[in-house]
Amino acid sequence: MQTYKISISDTKKFYENLGCDSAGISILSKKSNLHTLYIKNMHVGAANILKQDALSIGADLAVPSGVIIAKDKIARHIKRSNKRSNQSLCIELPTS
């Protein structure tokens, strides 16, 4: 067995060439591209909730060490997730 780290610019085409079926291609393409977001000035309460929500759907939220105990009221964060996770998180956001 050999393992290679690859960079995929067109995930849909990659999965087609691999021979995946169309339903699998649709699902896997949404999971393949990671998005990294830098979030500034988020309240620590919201950050703790976002971290729990992110982890529950397979995303990550990097927070400063003092966030869990609300050392500072406002903090910076980095969120890493794929397209599918982002869509799930957006559904939970209030519209007003």
Side-chain angles (χ1 to χ4, degrees):
M1 181 174 90
Q2 297 174 328
T3 305
Y4 302 91
K5 182 175 180 177
I6 58 174
S7 175
I8 305 173
S9 59
D10 185 354
T11 57
K12 188 173 183 179
K13 188 170 189 83
F14 183 83
Y15 292 124
E16 286 172 353
N17 290 339
L18 190 61
C20 298
D21 67 11
S22 60
I25 291 170
S26 176
I27 293 167
L28 292 169
S29 292
K30 292 177 183 177
K31 293 181 176 181
S32 295
N33 295 320
L34 283 181
H35 302 277
T36 303
L37 303 175
Y38 176 60
I39 304 168
K40 292 172 55 175
N41 302 323
M42 179 182 266
H43 189 276
V44 293
N48 283 318
I49 292 168
L50 180 58
K51 184 169 183 79
Q52 290 173 7
D53 286 348
L55 290 173
S56 74
I57 60 168
D60 295 303
L61 185 71
V63 299
S65 59
V67 166
I68 193 78
I69 59 169
K71 179 181 171 187
D72 298 311
K73 296 295 177 202
I74 303 295
R76 302 168 293 154
H77 316 287
I78 296 177
K79 184 175 84 64
R80 288 183 44 111
S81 58
N82 57 39
K83 182 177 180 180
R84 187 173 181 161
S85 296
N86 282 340
Q87 289 171 335
S88 295
L89 284 174
C90 288
I91 289 170
E92 296 180 20
L93 292 175
T95 56
S96 58

